[in-house]
Amino acid sequence: MEAAPDVKTEGEEPEETEETTTEEPKAEEAPKAEEPAPAPAPAAAEPAPAAAEAGEDVTPGDGEDGPKIEGEAKFSAVEVATGEEGEEVTWKRRAKLFRFDKEKQEWKERGTGEIKLLKSAEGKIRCLMRRDGTLKICANHLVLPSIELKPNIGSDRSWVWSVAGDVSEEEPTDEVFAIRFQNAEIANEFKTSFEDAQKTMAALSS
């Protein structure tokens, strides 16, 4: 910091020097101290967004800090054709389906899902089952009068049957299916509805 300048003020006696004058020297006027500059006025607070005043959530990044997205994204449901349009569901329940592998001589799980009996506008009834999640078909055949439901050995909630012309894989194949329900009551409901469908199919061919 620099030293303060030596400034004379009123009332001080002049120092004697070799050259004196009869007139008393006038005291020098002390320089006026500079007045400090006024502090800048505080900036006015910006008004809060209307959404905040109303108590609504404000998405971070909106406004000056990020892109502002106007409007709301809208999604419309997409209808997927299943091939079941125009058919009446006469019975449906959840179950687990098995298929007998003739080459390996063992049962393999085909899928878990909803099994349905579907009646077309012409009166034909088919048995259809899709896997949960993927909705892939695991059984699809007509309820022919020749099909015989047999009880599965050691279970009162499971049935076994053979079918010619299952089209689960598009190409018709001969399959042996076993289905297992949650309890015996549902299993008996399936048998009753299946046999009723067989009677309807038999009446169509007579």
Side-chain angles (χ1 to χ4, degrees):
M1 179 182 293
E2 296 182 359
D6 187 12
V7 180
K8 292 180 180 180
T9 58
E10 293 185 10
E12 289 188 11
E13 295 292 332
E15 297 180 359
E16 293 184 358
T17 59
E18 294 182 356
E19 293 184 7
T20 59
T21 58
T22 56
E23 294 182 3
E24 188 175 342
K26 296 180 179 179
E28 298 180 4
E29 293 181 0
K32 295 182 180 179
E34 295 183 0
E35 295 181 0
E46 295 183 1
E53 292 178 0
E56 299 177 0
D57 293 336
V58 179
T59 304
D62 284 353
E64 296 180 357
D65 297 333
K68 187 174 182 181
I69 302 174
E70 302 235 351
E72 183 179 332
K74 295 182 179 179
F75 301 92
S76 56
V78 178
E79 293 185 3
V80 179
T82 61
E84 301 174 34
E85 294 78 12
E87 291 180 297
E88 176 190 353
V89 179
T90 61
W91 191 88
K92 66 177 180 178
R93 282 285 188 165
R94 285 183 53 77
K96 181 176 285 189
L97 187 71
F98 298 85
R99 169 186 170 273
F100 189 73
D101 190 325
K102 297 175 184 177
E103 293 182 3
K104 297 184 178 181
Q105 291 293 299
E106 63 182 12
W107 288 101
K108 291 188 176 181
E109 185 175 334
R110 187 81 162 178
T112 300
E114 197 172 60
I115 187 167
K116 303 176 184 178
L117 297 179
L118 300 173
K119 187 176 183 180
S120 68
E122 294 80 16
K124 293 183 179 180
I125 301 175
R126 62 171 174 150
C127 179
L128 177 71
M129 183 171 177
R130 295 179 184 271
R131 295 187 183 98
D132 286 340
T134 62
L135 299 181
K136 186 175 180 180
I137 296 174
C138 50
N140 185 19
H141 63 81
L142 291 173
V143 184
L144 300 174
S146 58
I147 297 175
E148 182 182 1
L149 291 181
K150 299 179 180 180
N152 197 4
I153 299 175
S155 176
D156 62 351
R157 58 192 181 108
S158 180
W159 300 102
V160 179
W161 72 95
S162 300
V163 60
D166 181 80
V167 289
S168 302
E169 305 293 338
E170 296 184 1
E171 292 295 328
T173 56
D174 295 343
E175 302 289 353
V176 179
F177 289 132
I179 194 163
R180 186 172 66 204
F181 295 96
Q182 186 177 4
N183 52 49
E185 182 181 355
I186 298 174
N188 289 329
E189 285 180 9
F190 172 72
K191 185 175 187 295
T192 301
S193 298
F194 196 93
E195 290 175 347
D196 288 344
Q198 287 179 308
K199 293 175 184 178
T200 301
M201 293 287 287
L204 289 176
S205 58
S206 61

